[in-house]
Amino acid sequence: MASKFFFSFLILFLSLQFCTPIFTPTLRLIIFISAFPKRAPPIYMNCTVASYGFEAGSHTFKPVDIYRLNVAFVDTHYCRGVFGLKSASVRAYEPDRDQGHGTMFWKIDLYGFSFSYDNSTFKEVAPWKWK
Ligand SMILES: *[C@@H]1O[C@H](CO)[C@@H](O)[C@H](O)[C@H]1NC(C)=O
Ligand SMILES: *[C@@H]1O[C@H](CO)[C@@H](O)[C@H](O)[C@H]1NC(C)=O
């Protein structure tokens, strides 16, 4: 009896070990921060989840604005911004690249898109280009 109980417990324990990484919701967040001069034209952005192709979110930024996007799928999130007649695209979230990081920061300004994990040191990634 006791060993049967122990065996069931062992099975439960092992299955939890295997299931946890799949079922634990990954609380990851992409934070976009726009920093434009006051009279900049609207900045439009939409994001799609790579392998499913559906829209993960979209936002029209005011010159100074913050937009938070929850990452619900462990999959590349592409985001494309449109600024006047120019556009820029980034991999806003990339599972391999961003492993171990809970928050991805993207600054959107006159340069284009810059990336940071700490919201302080940003690396320029994608300049605005003519469409
Ligand atoms: C997202 O933006 C792209 C480029 O502007 C556009 O082709 C696509 O239709 C947009 N998706 C949605 C759902 O609005
Ligand atoms: C990131 O920095 C901006 C200022 O550059 C600030 O407004 C924002 O609150 C910061 N966000 C977080 C989550 O630290």
Side-chain angles (χ1 to χ4, degrees):
M1 205 57 188
S3 71
K4 197 173 180 185
F5 175 78
F6 177 76
F7 189 68
S8 309
F9 182 79
L10 186 69
I11 294 293
L12 180 69
F13 178 77
L14 287 176
S15 47
L16 281 177
Q17 287 305 297
F18 285 110
C19 291
T20 301
I22 304 166
F23 294 117
T24 300
T26 49
L27 296 174
R28 295 198 176 86
L29 189 62
I30 314 174
I31 300 182
F32 298 90
I33 301 160
S34 62
F36 285 84
K38 276 194 185 102
R39 298 204 180 163
I43 304 97
Y44 171 77
M45 183 187 74
N46 73 13
C47 302
T48 53
V49 181
S51 28
Y52 307 99
F54 61 74
E55 190 174 273
S58 69
H59 189 70
T60 302
F61 289 89
K62 287 173 260 164
V64 177
D65 204 355
I66 293 183
Y67 172 61
R68 291 174 178 81
L69 181 64
N70 288 300
V71 175
F73 297 90
V74 183
D75 190 14
T76 303
H77 284 49
Y78 291 103
C79 294
R80 179 168 184 269
V82 176
F83 172 51
L85 293 174
K86 294 185 171 184
S87 71
S89 298
V90 294
R91 288 160 181 251
Y93 171 68
E94 179 79 72
D96 290 342
R97 181 196 66 196
D98 301 333
Q99 214 165 19
H101 294 276
T103 309
M104 279 54 70
F105 293 92
W106 287 94
K107 184 170 73 184
I108 309 174
D109 59 13
L110 288 174
Y111 160 78
F113 284 71
S114 305
F115 185 57
S116 171
Y117 287 122
D118 62 7
N119 197 22
S120 120
T121 309
F122 283 85
K123 182 185 168 217
E124 292 185 340
V125 173
W128 297 115
K129 289 183 177 161
W130 295 104
K131 286 197 239 185

